[in-house]
Amino acid sequence: MAASSSFDRTQQLPRHFAWIAVAVAAALFVVNMAVLLLPSSPHSEQMRSVYAQPGVWVPLLSRVATVWLLAATLAWSHARKALDERGAARIAQLRAPASRFGVVYLAAMVINFLVLTPLFYQAQVLFMPGGPLHQHVDTYGMRSLMATSMLIQSALQMLVLVASVWLAAKFALRERSTAPTAESPAALDPGMDASTRNAVALVAAATFVSLQLWVGNAASGWVDTSRDSALLPLLLGWFGVPLLVFALAFWGSWLGAAPEPAQARPFRAVAAAASAFVLLQVACAALAIGGLLWIAGASSSGRSSDSRLVMFAAGMVAIYLVLLVVLLRTVTRRFYRRYL
């Protein structure tokens, strides 16, 4: 009975890692918001009035959800990879891997919060009205520099997140220097977790939509988003569209993983999603440039381009969604060809 209980806990380890990653990120987010918004905090009243605007808190929640989703996906993938490669019997011999993962991940995130966050704030001060750069750069140049700075900060934050999850998982899943058991790695019990096909599709879809949201949040620095925007369009843009993208990405990956991979190999799903995302952006950028050049040529000949522009935008959205499914299906099948 004890052995069965230990085996069951081992089978649930990927899920535990994912929830721990989300819990740590959520706790730090709550602490950060409390520091900013509690009445005892400096400028708390002004900060509360700012964060009460939908144009501020909706994108903020989207960024937070992106971090949680990516952290949970990577944490789940590390644990599932260990189960696939070593088998449940060897993983069950580890001492409190979930607790060790949580401690190391929390420490890494706290260091990030205490070290990188102040540096990012100092960088933002440079672009504030009256900041050092305002004396040397005009308004347009300032906006471009600020957007570039936000893009670099976003990339650094993603690297820190990926490295933190990797470090925590490596420490938690490290084996003691004992002779390994002779048991070969075995697939997970289908009753204990999602099927390998569903697991591949979930990891790929979560990775794809995380990249989509991360790039969208980074690119928002180049767009003058109004804080007076209505709530419904903001919710549709920051949450409705990502949910649609997630559903289509899941479908494409699920089709690509048919009939059923022998093992989940989650980082192949991560690589497939990242590859499909890059290919999709390149393809759509090329199509967009070609379409805009065609519209510009039509407008220079005296013909109205407004209707063409609307049709082109609608067509690009449709092409993006179709290519999303096709590319994920194709790339996922290529990455999992040896396991099907």
Side-chain angles (χ1 to χ4, degrees):
M1 182 65 69
S4 176
S5 176
S6 176
F7 182 79
D8 292 347
R9 287 196 303 270
T10 303
Q11 299 280 41
Q12 297 293 335
L13 190 61
R15 191 174 301 173
H16 293 164
F17 271 29
W19 280 113
I20 289 170
V22 172
V24 168
L28 291 177
F29 173 73
V30 170
V31 171
N32 185 38
M33 288 294 100
V35 170
L36 289 175
L37 304 179
L38 284 179
S40 58
S41 303
H43 312 293
S44 60
E45 184 176 352
Q46 180 182 1
M47 295 301 295
R48 284 197 297 271
S49 64
V50 170
Y51 279 96
Q53 303 175 51
V56 175
W57 66 262
V58 172
L60 173 64
L61 289 183
S62 174
R63 287 192 292 271
V64 170
T66 303
V67 172
W68 294 1
L69 179 61
L70 184 58
T73 301
L74 293 175
W76 189 96
S77 298
H78 279 291
R80 182 64 183 257
K81 177 176 180 287
L83 283 171
D84 281 346
E85 293 180 347
R86 305 183 206 171
R90 286 176 60 182
I91 298 299
Q93 297 175 4
L94 300 177
R95 296 178 56 185
S99 299
R100 292 198 294 173
F101 174 83
V103 169
V104 176
Y105 185 64
L106 175 61
M109 288 292 97
V110 169
I111 293 173
N112 171 43
F113 181 76
L114 295 177
V115 176
L116 283 184
T117 301
L119 292 178
F120 290 158
Y121 176 77
Q122 292 299 324
Q124 292 174 4
V125 169
L126 297 175
F127 304 99
M128 292 181 179
L133 290 180
H134 272 263
Q135 301 175 1
H136 309 286
V137 184
D138 58 15
T139 302
Y140 179 79
M142 181 64 62
R143 184 174 172 182
S144 299
L145 285 174
M146 185 174 182
T148 304
S149 174
M150 291 178 62
L151 186 62
I152 295 173
Q153 290 180 28
S154 180
L156 288 175
Q157 288 171 339
M158 176 177 281
L159 289 175
V160 169
L161 176 64
V162 172
S164 299
V165 176
W166 172 83
L167 179 64
K170 184 176 180 62
F171 180 80
L173 299 171
R174 184 179 57 183
E175 293 181 296
R176 290 173 291 178
S177 55
T178 57
T181 60
E183 180 184 352
S184 60
L188 293 181
D189 180 1
M192 297 301 299
D193 210 338
S195 70
T196 53
R197 188 180 181 186
N198 287 340
V200 168
L202 282 171
V203 170
T207 303
F208 189 95
V209 79
S210 295
L211 293 173
Q212 185 81 68
L213 283 169
W214 209 292
V215 170
N217 281 303
S220 64
W222 297 87
V223 182
D224 186 16
T225 54
S226 174
R227 293 181 179 178
D228 298 326
S229 301
L231 177 60
L232 183 58
L234 287 170
L235 290 176
L236 289 176
W238 288 105
F239 290 97
V241 172
L243 286 175
L244 174 62
V245 170
F246 181 89
L248 292 175
F250 179 89
W251 184 34
S253 304
W254 190 81
L255 293 174
E260 185 89 22
Q263 292 182 333
R265 296 292 177 179
F267 283 104
R268 285 184 173 268
V270 172
S275 301
F277 179 79
V278 172
L279 290 174
L280 182 60
Q281 308 313 307
V282 172
C284 287
L287 290 173
I289 292 173
L292 290 175
L293 290 176
W294 173 69
I295 292 174
S299 61
S300 64
S301 62
R303 291 176 291 179
S304 175
S305 61
D306 292 343
S307 60
R308 285 187 174 85
L309 192 59
V310 172
M311 292 177 60
F312 173 71
M316 283 301 303
V317 171
I319 290 172
Y320 188 92
L321 297 178
V322 171
L323 283 179
L324 188 160
V325 176
V326 172
L327 283 174
L328 270 171
R329 180 188 182 279
T330 304
V331 177
T332 301
R333 179 162 292 276
R334 181 174 181 82
F335 272 83
Y336 280 90
R337 183 170 49 190
R338 60 184 293 189
Y339 297 101
L340 296 175

